[in-house]
Amino acid sequence: MADAKPVKGRLKSLQIIHKAMMAGVIILAVLLVLLISSNHLTALLPQYNQPLQLVVLVIAAAGFFIGNSIVKKAIAKVRKDGLDINNKWMIYRQACLIQWALLEAPAILALVFFLLTGNYAFVALAVTLILVMGLTAPTKLKAAMLLQLSQAEIDEL
């Protein structure tokens, strides 16, 4: 049963997922910058630079605000319903994963647009989104505060 898993392992696994999601985008960004800057790849559609900037900015902003909204609603639900630690953790984990995906997807899209246009502004946006994602990293303190855990539940983390 997944609910019988120790909370301590859950925090560590969530931290690993978070780092892996960030690392994937960072590796992709480094590879694309190296390939474009060394002229191994050339921009395919530089003429679409401005429309693509608008598209990715709108998607990034939407992802940021929707992700934050999902986390806030999840935290409110956890606090209101008085759930046990397993259910609190499940809701928190789901909200975190959705929030990270909503930051990671526009970052990857920005890198694809960088590949298409050669405009480094897309790389800057991807890096910004990854930095924001880094600020949402799961920690024991953050989980304890957001989930309003008891001292016994905190000790399990």
Side-chain angles (χ1 to χ4, degrees), residues 35-69:
L35 288 171
I36 295 286
S37 65
S38 66
N39 293 325
H40 282 93
L41 290 176
T42 57
L44 301 173
L45 303 169
Q47 67 273 20
Y48 293 110
N49 180 39
Q50 288 181 335
L52 293 178
Q53 282 183 13
L54 179 63
V55 167
V56 77
L57 283 172
V58 168
I59 292 171
F64 175 78
F65 289 114
I66 292 169
N68 283 340
S69 173

Side-chain angles (χ1 to χ4, degrees), residues 71-143:
V71 169
K72 285 180 184 177
K73 286 179 184 176
I75 297 306
K77 177 179 173 53
V78 164
R79 290 179 177 175
K80 183 182 88 170
D81 291 346
L83 304 169
D84 67 351
I85 184 66
N86 291 328
N87 288 323
K88 285 180 180 181
W89 190 261
M90 183 182 68
I91 292 169
Y92 176 67
R93 181 180 183 272
Q94 289 173 345
C96 286
L97 292 173
I98 292 169
Q99 182 184 36
W100 301 336
L102 290 171
L103 291 169
E104 182 187 42
I108 292 171
L109 185 63
L111 293 173
V112 169
F113 289 171
F114 166 66
L115 179 64
L116 292 174
T117 65
N119 185 344
Y120 285 88
F122 291 112
V123 176
L125 177 61
V127 168
T128 301
L129 289 168
I130 292 305
L131 290 174
V132 170
M133 192 173 169
L135 295 174
T136 65
T139 63
K140 186 183 221 180
L141 178 62
K142 188 184 296 184

Side-chain angles (χ1 to χ4, degrees), residues 9-55:
R10 290 181 185 179
L11 178 61
K12 187 70 174 168
S13 68
L14 193 58
Q15 289 171 332
I16 290 169
I17 291 168
H18 180 262
K19 288 175 185 170
M21 290 176 77
M22 288 180 56
V25 178
I26 292 168
I27 291 168
L28 179 62
V30 169
L31 287 174
L32 289 178
V33 167
L34 289 174
L35 288 171
I36 295 286
S37 65
S38 66
N39 293 325
H40 282 93
L41 290 176
T42 57
L44 301 173
L45 303 169
Q47 67 273 20
Y48 293 110
N49 180 39
Q50 288 181 335
L52 293 178
Q53 282 183 13
L54 179 63
V55 167

